[in-house]
Amino acid sequence: MTTLDSATDTRSGKGHRDENFPVASHLIHPRHRGAILAFYDFVRAGDDVADHADLPPERKIALLDGLADALTGAGPADPEAEPLKAELSVRRLPPRHALELLDAFRMDARKNRYADWDELIHYCRYSAMPVGRYVLDVHGEDPARVWGPSDAICAALQVINHIQDCGKDFRDLDRVYLPQDCLDRHGASVAMLGETKAPPPLRAALRELAGRCLVLLDEGAVLPDLIDDTRLALEIAAIHRLAVVLSKGLLERDPLSEKVHHGKAAFALVALRGVAATLARRPFRGRVVRAAMQGAAR
């Protein structure tokens, strides 16, 4: 096993432009993009530690602990943590969301199978939901109003990624996020993830999970109309629309043998439709906000 001195030594070279969904696109106001990209870079450093194929679990945990201590000031400084630490200080935000993501990466270091949907959503609570919450907090949005639908969208985005990458995760990391009970319901096995084309039982399981993503996205569809910052609302509307289209694609296409990703032109067109629909509703969002707050008060 390889022993590496710091999280920097594990970096994969992957950046925010390589993600399946936009990260701090130019829809986001420039005054917020730096804080979001600092968060992304810190999280990417932790994710690269968790996904490093040559590190034993205990070494991964030690490196993740080092990142946490550097961010909170409990340990030595780390170049992977300093930009986010500075942004948090300027904005007087706690490190909570970043630390929760490190908890998810610790889970990845220790765990490679999930029994059921609830167990997977518990993982998403730490691996995905803090991302949306952080972006909303950076923009000063009201957590009581927006965290719930944001959590649903973020969980869906995470599961979509799990479905898209299910073959690669199994082959490269022996990691399976697809719930075992879902595989069992359809007569599928983990070994099928190693095939070049998904057999019918596995395709059925993947379709079930894609359908669950659509349910989550329906729960989160109201989010753009609840957000005060128009540019952020448009960014989330674009991401939401992309996620819906990808989920529907996963109902029909096989991620083991096909790319279920958008090309740049299709990506832009789908995102634009989400933006246009949200802009059209923007003058009437007051009633949506009032309804949401009344529901929360019950």
Side-chain angles (χ1 to χ4, degrees):
M1 292 289 184
T2 301
T3 300
L4 300 174
D5 294 330
S6 71
T8 300
D9 298 329
T10 71
R11 293 305 296 266
S12 65
K14 185 176 181 180
H16 70 278
R17 292 186 178 86
D18 301 312
E19 297 294 337
N20 293 333
F21 297 96
V23 177
S25 80
H26 290 287
L27 284 171
I28 296 292
H29 196 286
R31 70 174 176 270
H32 297 311
R33 293 187 77 240
I36 294 170
L37 291 174
F39 185 84
Y40 173 85
D41 288 341
F42 178 81
V43 170
R44 168 50 52 195
D47 200 10
D48 286 346
V49 169
D51 287 350
H52 200 285
D54 296 329
L55 284 177
E58 60 272 15
R59 183 59 184 153
K60 292 180 180 182
I61 300 297
L63 290 175
L64 293 169
D65 289 347
L67 283 174
D69 289 345
L71 186 64
T72 61
D78 188 305
E80 304 295 350
E82 288 307 300
L84 178 58
K85 186 177 180 181
E87 289 286 352
L88 294 175
S89 177
V90 167
R91 293 168 181 269
R92 298 183 180 179
L93 291 173
R96 169 186 175 183
H97 303 310
L99 296 177
E100 287 183 338
L101 279 150
L102 293 183
D103 284 338
F105 302 143
R106 291 185 184 96
M107 289 184 214
D108 283 332
R110 299 184 176 109
K111 182 180 177 70
N112 59 8
R113 298 291 189 273
Y114 289 82
D116 54 33
W117 179 256
D118 288 344
E119 199 170 282
L120 180 59
I121 292 299
H122 174 75
Y123 172 75
C124 292
R125 166 61 187 86
Y126 293 91
S127 68
M129 296 178 192
V131 177
R133 293 180 179 192
Y134 173 80
V135 172
L136 292 163
D137 286 359
V138 163
H139 283 79
E141 300 290 335
D142 179 5
R145 193 168 75 208
V146 297
W147 274 16
S150 173
D151 288 351
I153 292 175
C154 288
L157 298 179
Q158 180 74 88
V159 177
I160 290 168
N161 283 338
H162 290 333
I163 299 171
Q164 289 177 314
D165 297 338
C166 62
K168 182 176 182 294
D169 286 340
F170 176 65
R171 290 191 305 271
D172 295 352
L173 300 168
D174 188 32
R175 190 180 293 160
V176 180
Y177 293 105
L178 311 183
Q180 185 62 51
D181 68 340
C182 176
L183 296 174
D184 292 342
R185 271 194 297 278
H186 299 282
S189 68
V190 166
M192 290 177 181
L193 292 168
E195 301 190 22
T196 56
K197 184 176 181 179
L202 179 58
R203 286 287 296 115
L206 296 175
R207 280 195 294 271
E208 178 185 324
L209 295 173
R212 283 179 175 256
C213 288
L214 286 170
V215 172
L216 288 170
L217 291 167
D218 188 57
E219 290 176 19
V222 71
L223 180 60
D225 296 334
L226 298 177
I227 290 173
D228 292 329
D229 187 286
T230 297
R231 294 177 69 144
L232 176 60
L234 298 181
E235 171 97 339
I236 291 175
I239 292 171
H240 181 270
R241 182 59 187 162
L242 288 165
V244 169
V245 171
L246 279 175
S247 295
K248 290 180 177 178
L250 288 165
L251 291 173
E252 305 298 332
R253 300 171 68 185
D254 171 18
L256 296 190
S257 61
E258 304 175 74
K259 283 192 174 181
V260 195
H261 297 277
H262 298 294
K264 288 186 178 179
F267 185 96
L269 182 59
V270 170
L272 184 60
R273 287 173 178 163
V275 167
T278 297
L279 277 175
R281 294 193 307 270
R282 201 69 180 164
F284 311 104
R285 64 180 289 267
R287 68 186 68 171
V288 178
V289 172
R290 287 192 295 273
M293 295 310 292
Q294 288 168 1
R298 291 192 185 115

